[in-house]
């Protein structure tokens, strides 16, 4: 009887699956693959144009996540490092649906117009534009849209004391400010990805009230607050992430100011980087074990980071370069 119970318990434990999130190296672009415990998938952004990033996404999706297709591709905005890889990726693996913030506002430049048309060609009738408050149906998790097309979540929240010293910047008329951002919830665990949402929009989300609450895992906006156009301290400190993932490139994102802002997050336990920031020094990078790629782009092998989250809120982040893992418990 006890032996039978033990075997049943062991079988149940073996059958339990995790929510997995992969940060695929797009050399300062973005490609974040989410796979639910039931096997459904959401890819947030598709990297740069050409075959390099598309192949990296395909390899992780098929060889690591064992996917036959990508159920949904979420395009945060229509800059080349976020949507450029979509046509090449669609040739490698089926993509069931596309979601975005609405039509691109940057089509005056011929290259931008061509990229926009290429996206519409592959998305066709499988494209849907989402607004703030909408949700993305993915079994086992809740995904709420918190920014879209220049609008941000503005209901609920608590007073944010960091707003007293917040300073706005010049308005951003680009696609960045229209980024489709989302908050994923799985039990006690939460994950925030705001694409390249810029400074003033971050402040709208967090000032005078923080409408997002706290988050467990935060993908640092705009590749690690690129050129200080993102990363408003009043926003970053208010959401109090336990762990920060930076999908930066060798010389794109995570400058010294960005690192200092992240380092001052109350209760921060760790920072992980897709790339070593070659533009700064060791004092403005995390430890070597938690950096997936240390080379300049021409020599880069495209290693990825992976988070595996259990239903009880425990999660482990692993560096594919060296196999180093570290575990945490969602607060």
């Amino acid at each position: 009887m006890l032996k039978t119970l033990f075997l049943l318990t062991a079988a149940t434990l073996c059958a339990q699956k995790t929510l997995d999130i992969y940060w695929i190296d797009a050399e300062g672009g973005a490609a974040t693959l989410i796979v639910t415990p039931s096997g459904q998938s959401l890819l947030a952004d598709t990297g740069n144009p050409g075959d390099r990033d598309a192949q990296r996404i395909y390899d992780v999706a098929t060889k690591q996540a064992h996917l036959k297709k990508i159920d949904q591709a979420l395009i945060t905005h229509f800059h080349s490092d976020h949507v450029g890889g979509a046509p090449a990726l669609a040739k490698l693996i089926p993509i069931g649906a596309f979601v975005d913030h609405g039509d691109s506002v940057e089509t005056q430049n011929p290259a931008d117009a061509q990229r926009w048309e290429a996206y519409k060609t592959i998305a066709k009738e499988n494209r849907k534009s989402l607004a703030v408050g909408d949700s993305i149906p993915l079994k086992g998790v809740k995904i709420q849209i918190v920014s879209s097309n220049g609008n941000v979540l503005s209901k609920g929240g608590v007073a944010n004391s960091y707003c007293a010293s917040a300073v706005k910047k010049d308005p951003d008329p680009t696609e960045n400010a229209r980024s489709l951002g989302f908050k994923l919830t799985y039990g006690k665990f939460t994950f925030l990805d705001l694409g390249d949402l810029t400074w003033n929009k971050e402040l709208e989300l967090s000032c005078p009230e923080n409408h997002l609450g706290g988050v467990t895992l935060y993908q640092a906006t705009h590749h690690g607050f690129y050129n200080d156009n993102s990363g408003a301290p009043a926003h970053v400190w208010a959401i109090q992430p336990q762990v920060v993932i930076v999908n930066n490139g060798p010389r794109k994102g995570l400058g010294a100011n960005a690192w200092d802002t992240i380092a001052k997050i109350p209760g921060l336990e760790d920072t992980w980087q897709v790339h070593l920031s070659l533009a700064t020094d060791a004092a403005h990078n995390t430890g070597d074990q938690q950096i997936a790629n240390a080379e300049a782009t021409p020599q880069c092998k495209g290693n990825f980071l992976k988070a595996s989250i259990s239903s009880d809120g425990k999660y482990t982040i692993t560096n594919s370069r060296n196999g180093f893992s570290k575990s945490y418990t969602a607060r």
Side-chain angles (χ1 to χ4, degrees), residues 40-67:
Q40 290 188 314
S41 56
L42 174 73
L43 174 67
D45 292 321
T46 60
N48 291 279
D51 296 330
R52 182 197 65 198
D53 294 352
Q55 187 65 51
R56 289 178 179 180
I57 295 168
Y58 174 78
D59 287 344
V60 170
T62 58
K63 297 176 183 178
Q64 302 297 325
H66 307 293
L67 299 176

Side-chain angles (χ1 to χ4, degrees), residues 216-279:
T216 309
L217 189 58
Y218 173 49
Q219 180 174 315
T221 311
H222 208 173
H223 317 288
F225 316 149
Y226 184 46
N227 286 344
D228 295 326
N229 290 323
S230 302
H235 162 71
V236 177
W237 299 341
I239 61 175
Q240 297 186 0
Q242 183 176 14
V243 175
V244 173
I245 300 282
V246 187
N247 66 324
N248 59 319
R251 296 185 181 277
K252 182 177 181 181
L254 200 62
N257 289 342
W259 175 265
D260 290 342
T261 296
I262 292 171
K264 294 175 183 176
I265 294 171
L268 179 73
E269 293 187 25
D270 256 325
T271 299
W272 294 68
Q273 296 168 215
V274 173
H275 265 276
L276 174 69
S277 179
L278 298 176

